[in-house]
Amino acid sequence: MPTLLFSSPIFGPVRSRRLGISLGINLMPADGKICTFDCIYCECGLNADFRPKTRRPTREEVASALEQRLISMRDVDGCLPDVLTFAGNGEPTIHPDFPAIIDDTIRLRDIYCPQAKVSVLSNATRAHIPEIKAALMRVDNNILKLDTVDAEYINMVDQPVGVYDVHQVVEAMCQYEGKCIVQTMFMKGECEGKSVDNTGDRYIGPWLEALKKISPQQVMIYTIDRETPLSSLCKATPDELDAIAQRVEELGLTVSVSY
């Protein structure tokens, strides 16, 4: 069982496959996971296995810890991050002070590392909420998850917590008018005897149609990189990812691939 939980509120820096040298910002407790998805491929494990016993960091704690780490990176390490990334042990947008924390982060970025980008990795479950949308529109990389538009697959693999309508999520993404990056996990293997292979045209065709509607600034496709809660999951192959990327490029969209 994977137990890759992240320190809170700041972790890293780490070298991200997609973003470069990334200083992580985790708005969830350090000892557990809180998320509106319960993905069977999550490197942090399943929600029920890692119920936190401590509270989330406050807005003030996040800002203080981030400022201290940036000063240390500048004065001690002699390097600064390429990106400040909201990720960690769950969905960052569910923090009650998320919009204000984004404002604090942009302010500190501008002071200490103005060349760095601010990125948010979100599962898009709250992308429709006006104040969340306004906050995400202020960051450099608004990365929203869309693994498929097939409801049965989403319920099996992403396992939303609460009501989730993928078509409403796609419509919410369209409201960003291109200021978003769509991130999609491709993988193979099984879950409870059912295939989770989403590399075939049953899934790719409708997903491409959704991308045409959303018209994102970029599409990030990737596959499993670390241990997952289910040992029956495995990577999509480089050839499969490249073939999918080519179809995205044929739509006139920019795409990056992480193998």
Side-chain angles (χ1 to χ4, degrees), residues 6-255:
F6 295 90
S7 301
S8 181
I10 307 299
F11 63 92
V14 298
R15 181 164 290 280
S16 166
R17 288 186 294 169
R18 299 178 291 280
L19 301 172
I21 299 174
S22 172
L23 186 63
I25 303 172
N26 174 24
L27 301 185
M28 299 302 115
D31 66 337
K33 185 182 169 206
I34 306 174
C35 196
T36 50
F37 270 3
D38 196 14
C39 298
I40 62 173
Y41 58 76
C42 182
E43 64 191 11
C44 297
L46 297 174
N47 295 352
D49 295 330
F50 297 98
R51 299 294 187 194
K53 295 180 176 61
T54 59
R55 59 171 176 78
R56 285 183 284 232
T58 65
R59 171 189 177 181
E60 293 75 19
E61 288 169 339
V62 174
S64 176
L66 177 59
E67 183 168 31
Q68 291 175 29
R69 189 69 182 96
L70 290 174
I71 290 172
S72 175
M73 290 184 71
R74 181 194 64 188
D75 297 345
V76 178
D77 302 336
C79 69
L80 287 166
D82 298 314
V83 61
L84 305 174
T85 305
F86 286 83
N89 304 340
E91 171 56 33
T93 65
I94 63 177
H95 192 291
D97 289 325
F98 176 76
I101 290 171
I102 289 295
D103 290 341
D104 294 340
T105 301
I106 292 171
R107 174 179 58 81
L108 292 170
R109 183 275 308 272
D110 290 348
I111 294 171
Y112 294 103
C113 51
Q115 82 292 344
K117 305 294 186 183
V118 176
S119 298
V120 178
L121 300 179
S122 170
N123 60 27
T125 52
R126 292 166 56 81
H128 63 287
I129 299 173
E131 57 267 32
I132 300 299
K133 179 188 173 188
L136 292 175
M137 289 290 283
R138 294 195 291 275
V139 306
D140 301 289
N141 297 319
N142 167 30
I143 304 172
L144 300 175
K145 173 168 287 297
L146 185 67
D147 286 339
T148 178
V149 294
D150 185 282
E152 182 180 359
Y153 187 93
I154 291 166
N155 287 333
M156 176 174 61
V157 172
D158 296 323
Q159 300 191 115
V161 178
V163 177
Y164 179 89
D165 183 329
V166 67
H167 301 294
Q168 290 181 358
V169 170
V170 169
E171 289 303 317
M173 290 183 178
C174 291
Q175 299 306 308
Y176 286 80
E177 299 181 340
K179 194 178 188 312
C180 66
I181 297 169
V182 171
Q183 182 189 70
T184 302
M185 164 70 81
F186 289 101
M187 63 180 182
K188 305 175 82 170
E190 293 185 345
C191 173
E192 297 181 351
K194 295 182 180 180
S195 172
V196 297
D197 184 345
N198 62 335
T199 63
D201 200 58
R202 171 186 171 186
Y203 298 107
I204 299 300
W207 174 76
L208 290 170
E209 289 299 315
L211 291 182
K212 285 197 289 187
K213 291 181 62 178
I214 298 166
S215 190
Q217 66 194 62
Q218 184 182 353
V219 179
M220 291 179 170
I221 65 176
Y222 68 124
T223 191
I224 293 168
D225 186 46
R226 298 185 177 93
E227 187 181 4
T228 61
L230 272 65
S231 61
S232 57
L233 308 180
C234 55
K235 286 176 171 284
T237 69
D239 286 347
E240 288 166 332
L241 294 176
D242 287 342
I244 294 167
Q246 181 177 346
R247 295 182 68 178
V248 175
E249 289 175 340
E250 289 169 356
L251 299 178
L253 298 174
T254 300
V255 61

